[in-house]
Amino acid sequence: MCGIIGYIGDKCAADILISGLSHLEYRGYDSSGVALMHGNDIDIYKASGKLINLIEILRTKSEVTSISKIGIGHIRWATHGLPTTTNAHPHTCTCKSLTLVHNGIIENYQELKEELAKTGAVFRSETDTEIAAHLIAYEYGKTQDLLHAMQNAVKKIKGAFAFCAIHKKEPNKIVVAKRNAPLVLGVGQGENFIASDIPAIIEYTKKAIYLSDYQVGVVTKDDIKIYDDMGNPVVNKVEHLPFEAMAISKMGYKHFMLKEIHEQSDVVRNNLSGKLIDHNKKVILEDFKLSPEKIDKLSRIQIVACGTSLHAGMVGKYIIEKYAGIPVDVEASSEYIYRDTIADEKTLVIGNYQSDETADTITAIKQVKEKGSHIAIITNRTDSTMARLADSLIPVNAGIEVSVAATKSYMAQLISLYLLAIYLNEAKGIDKYKDEISLLKQEMIELPNKIEALLENTSEIQRVAKKYSSFKNFIYIARGINFATALEGALKLKEISYINATGYGAGELKHGPIAMLDSDMPVLAILNTGVVYDKVLSNCEEAKARQARLIGVTNYISDKDRRLFDDLVMIPDASDILSPALNIIVLQLIAYYIAEYLGKDVDQPRNLAKSVTVE
Ligand code: F6R
């Protein structure tokens, strides 16, 4: 987590750094800071709390800060030390000649700290980053060259990092380095940019160079030089950035989350494009490289993911097992990596993620790669670390997602998992579900229109959200393929409104949770016509008998059963198998409108970050 930014050119560095940081806020937002260089001086400005606090400070000093044309900046998600101004980046060495921002975690910082203390280093913060500043400065003392100092220092550092460093004695350059943390260099004319992620620089340039792990670079106004871990100069490809600046604006919506919820019909269209052309044609997954013979020999599939992506994986299990007849395990990456997981060359491991750098999932993928399993990645970022590790890619084409709470990326993952299940079925030549799959394909093609119909009028959802916004606890129930929808809907409510919501398989209610039910514990039930519809209805009866207020989300209700519910939200008609894609939109909106009604910071909920780069 954390975001870093750097600028060197002829424009006002402070403006560019602040604009960049504002687009990196999804990576963390508990404190921020910039270092601005002018002549041989470096001025540092830091603030705890949201970026606006730093902007206020810079505004009062604009006469001084506007002069600088070189600078580095940082937005923090605290790992080592409280989110205070002192712990905010940039950090400096003892004599303050070297200044540094860092994204990542330095694992051996205690050990390095002890060694550096012996050299007289004076520590001012509780962060691991400050140790790196002292270490690079120590190496600078030996080499009097910032590039060499960085090259020597990174060899001594264990862990993950993306660094940007400036030095008073070398005022016309920024030195960068990277290992297991993202860093992109934006290429301009007479100016260059450095950032943790593309949104920070897309306004200024469409050309970028991705730094690889173990590379170190020197960025000046007119040049970018990159060196490998042996110190040899290397040339990295200049790539065209895929995103439009428009994609990172709210486009008139109050929050990114609402905008992204409303983008879901297009997300489905984009994801299906070129993959599902007609209900009579086979699914095409161009970058899925497992041959039909190898698919036939697969003995198991493992889906590794975290949070929302894990919930998408749970839906995936249901459909892949059904249509491809291959056992599927879905596991949180953080659990998967600390046991002796059984995977071999007959295992397909699917990594599913919405950001580009979830540490737990990266570790899981790295571990299993050594076991010879085929690795397929469902990704919104084909340029990510995991995508590079993968044997097969399933790009989801969801466009950039800014809101910390994942919505449209979840939709895109669901669609990819449906496509994969059908693809595997067709590769194996399983005839059993031919007609059902043909109907499913047709329904998937029509899904964007149904999503639009659902989103056209959300007044009922808003009414329900307002009505229930004062409750402190919720239970969400569902069964079958919508079990994961209940978990995901409850997670959405928790993360943006801080209300306690727990998802249960509806059949599990009577095995314990029912004890909590009374009129203060609303139960939201998802019930779609299909095998478990009547069962969920019975579970709703059980809840009602305990005075719980019942909210139903359904595609059908008879007049007889309607009386059971205090409130009902209807979705467009959908088959049970595809209903998670519609039901989740209702749950996303309920969470959104409750949080919005309560005045919460919807796009940047407390304590969270979009990319979770720590294990
Ligand atoms: C919730 C959310 C998180 C992420 C989780 C994993 O809205 O976004 O639960 O899904 O942190 O991140 P990825 O999917 O990038 O691995």
Side-chain angles (χ1 to χ4, degrees):
M1 325 195 195
C2 301
I4 62 179
I5 178 93
Y7 175 75
I8 184 160
D10 288 326
K11 299 192 182 118
C12 169
D15 288 349
I16 290 171
L17 298 181
I18 290 299
S19 145
L21 290 178
S22 71
H23 293 304
L24 294 174
E25 274 190 293
Y26 72 88
R27 302 178 66 85
Y29 31 81
D30 60 38
S31 57
S32 52
V34 293
L36 299 169
M37 193 164 215
H38 49 95
N40 290 88
D41 278 325
I42 298 173
D43 292 330
I44 294 179
Y45 303 91
K46 308 202 238 188
S48 60
K50 289 292 191 78
L51 183 61
I52 188 70
N53 300 346
L54 178 67
I55 295 173
E56 289 303 330
I57 293 174
L58 291 177
R59 195 171 288 149
T60 60
K61 312 253 165 123
S62 65
E63 270 174 40
V64 201
T65 57
S66 58
I67 308 165
S68 173
K69 316 280 186 235
I70 304 171
I72 56 177
H74 187 272
I75 194 136
R76 182 167 184 249
W77 188 85
T79 55
H80 295 67
L82 295 171
T84 58
T85 309
T86 313
N87 287 334
H89 300 211
H91 288 285
T92 60
C93 62
T94 309
C95 68
K96 300 192 178 173
S97 50
L98 181 131
T99 304
L100 177 84
V101 289
H102 165 225
N103 168 30
I105 287 194
I106 299 171
E107 286 163 7
N108 57 338
Y109 83 102
Q110 282 295 7
E111 204 179 304
L112 292 170
K113 188 173 182 180
E114 279 162 31
E115 280 169 31
L116 289 160
K118 289 181 205 151
T119 68
V122 177
F123 304 106
R124 304 181 184 95
S125 75
E126 302 158 295
T127 64
D128 53 338
T129 304
E130 192 192 341
I131 309 306
H134 289 287
L135 179 64
I136 302 166
Y138 174 73
E139 294 296 334
Y140 192 91
K142 294 198 260 175
T143 61
Q144 295 300 308
D145 179 280
L146 187 53
L147 167 67
H148 291 148
M150 180 69 90
Q151 285 169 325
N152 293 345
V154 292
K155 288 191 181 128
K156 297 183 177 169
I157 293 175
K158 291 190 188 140
F161 53 77
F163 290 130
C164 274
I166 50 179
H167 198 288
K168 283 184 179 177
K169 288 192 190 159
E170 299 186 31
N172 297 318
K173 66 176 71 151
I174 302 174
V175 173
V176 297
K178 160 184 156 56
R179 190 195 301 158
N180 291 334
L183 198 67
V184 60
L185 308 177
V187 183
Q189 287 209 320
E191 60 181 354
N192 285 310
F193 307 81
I194 302 149
S196 296
D197 201 358
I198 296 165
I201 55 172
I202 195 74
E203 211 175 316
Y204 308 103
T205 180
K206 284 273 167 56
K207 288 196 287 178
I209 294 171
Y210 289 94
L211 213 64
S212 298
D213 283 344
Y214 296 95
Q215 290 185 332
V216 175
V218 179
V219 183
T220 61
K221 172 173 169 308
D222 298 303
D223 198 17
I224 294 176
K225 286 204 161 55
I226 300 173
Y227 302 87
D228 67 15
D229 56 337
M230 304 300 288
N232 301 313
V234 287
V235 179
N236 290 12
K237 202 167 103 200
V238 179
E239 304 201 20
H240 185 81
L241 296 178
F243 299 112
E244 293 299 326
M246 226 172 64
I248 47 172
S249 95
K250 286 190 199 141
M251 305 288 287
Y253 287 95
K254 187 166 178 195
H255 295 101
F256 279 107
M257 182 175 175
L258 191 59
K259 174 192 163 220
E260 286 157 5
I261 290 173
H262 279 264
E263 281 172 348
Q264 291 180 106
S265 51
D266 280 343
V267 164
V268 176
R269 276 191 196 101
N270 289 345
N271 201 355
L272 293 184
S273 164
K275 298 175 189 156
L276 176 57
I277 294 153
D278 189 271
H279 70 104
N280 285 325
K281 299 222 165 76
K282 284 189 174 177
V283 162
I284 303 163
L285 293 181
E286 258 181 23
D287 296 317
F288 192 78
K289 303 290 183 199
L290 206 56
S291 65
E293 296 71 43
K294 289 207 168 141
I295 291 176
D296 230 14
K297 289 196 183 114
L298 285 176
S299 61
R300 67 195 301 178
I301 295 178
Q302 295 173 338
I303 302 179
V304 286
C306 308
T308 289
S309 304
L310 182 69
H311 297 150
M314 290 168 74
V315 178
K317 171 184 166 76
Y318 193 98
I319 35 181
I320 294 171
E321 285 190 341
K322 174 168 179 168
Y323 292 135
I326 306 169
V328 181
D329 298 317
V330 186
E331 197 167 357
S333 316
S334 51
E335 293 301 324
Y336 184 88
I337 55 184
Y338 289 110
R339 61 183 184 82
D340 292 328
T341 41
I342 299 167
D344 56 23
E345 49 297 335
K346 284 206 244 158
T347 312
L348 166 63
V349 178
I350 302 173
N352 185 35
Y353 58 94
Q354 46 90 38
S355 69
D356 60 341
E357 39 180 327
T358 311
D360 290 318
T361 309
I362 294 180
T363 308
I365 293 300
K366 282 184 178 164
Q367 279 181 4
V368 86
K369 200 170 168 65
E370 284 169 18
K371 297 183 178 170
S373 305
H374 188 91
I375 293 166
I377 295 294
I378 296 178
T379 181
N380 201 20
R381 297 295 296 264
T382 46
D383 57 342
S384 62
T385 311
M386 276 183 270
R388 282 193 289 271
L389 288 169
D391 302 302
S392 286
L393 285 184
I394 306 176
V396 303
N397 306 324
I400 209 142
E401 188 175 64
V402 177
S403 175
V404 165
T407 53
K408 66 172 179 171
S409 58
Y410 178 76
M411 179 65 70
Q413 292 171 347
L414 284 189
I415 297 305
S416 298
L417 286 155
Y418 282 97
L419 288 169
L420 179 63
I422 300 172
Y423 181 89
L424 294 174
N425 167 287
E426 290 172 344
K428 288 182 80 176
I430 300 172
D431 258 0
K432 187 172 164 198
Y433 294 106
K434 211 165 174 211
D435 294 342
E436 189 177 322
I437 285 182
S438 174
L439 287 174
L440 173 61
K441 283 181 182 168
Q442 187 54 36
E443 203 185 347
M444 286 170 72
I445 293 168
E446 287 161 12
L447 182 62
N449 296 341
K450 291 190 183 178
I451 294 177
E452 275 158 12
L454 199 166
L455 288 169
E456 211 167 77
N457 185 356
T458 60
S459 53
E460 187 56 14
I461 299 175
Q462 294 185 45
R463 185 194 64 75
V464 171
K466 190 169 173 187
K467 176 173 169 185
Y468 289 90
S469 58
S470 60
F471 285 87
K472 301 282 175 265
N473 299 288
F474 283 81
I475 282 181
Y476 282 33
I477 56 168
R479 283 173 93 149
I481 195 162
N482 275 302
F483 170 46
T485 314
L487 300 187
E488 173 57 12
L491 177 65
K492 286 284 94 77
L493 184 60
K494 273 186 275 224
E495 63 184 335
I496 61 169
S497 71
Y498 322 141
I499 291 171
N500 177 32
T502 311
Y504 292 103
E508 276 294 294
L509 207 56
K510 56 188 168 298
H511 297 289
I514 202 164
M516 295 187 291
L517 296 192
D518 60 18
S519 57
D520 287 332
M521 176 73 85
V523 173
L524 184 148
I526 304 157
L527 56 170
N528 213 86
T529 40
V531 272
V532 292
Y533 183 87
D534 290 337
K535 302 287 167 205
V536 181
L537 259 185
S538 308
N539 301 134
C540 288
E541 293 272 11
E542 291 156 14
K544 196 70 207 163
R546 273 84 191 170
Q547 274 88 48
R549 290 162 214 251
L550 264 184
I551 310 161
V553 178
T554 184
N555 64 331
Y556 168 78
I557 199 83
S558 68
D559 289 341
K560 166 176 81 65
D561 295 323
R562 192 174 281 267
R563 45 120 209 133
L564 202 56
F565 295 91
D566 296 274
D567 295 279
L568 263 180
V569 178
M570 302 299 296
I571 61 160
D573 196 23
S575 69
D576 196 25
I577 199 102
L578 198 57
S579 65
L582 289 167
N583 287 324
I584 192 56
I585 297 177
V586 176
L587 273 46
Q588 291 167 347
L589 285 169
I590 288 181
Y592 172 80
Y593 282 114
I594 289 183
E596 205 252 344
Y597 189 69
L598 295 175
K600 302 294 183 204
D601 193 345
V602 172
D603 284 333
Q604 294 174 353
R606 69 183 183 205
N607 305 339
L608 294 177
K610 191 145 191 76
S611 304
V612 184
T613 59
V614 291
E615 276 187 21

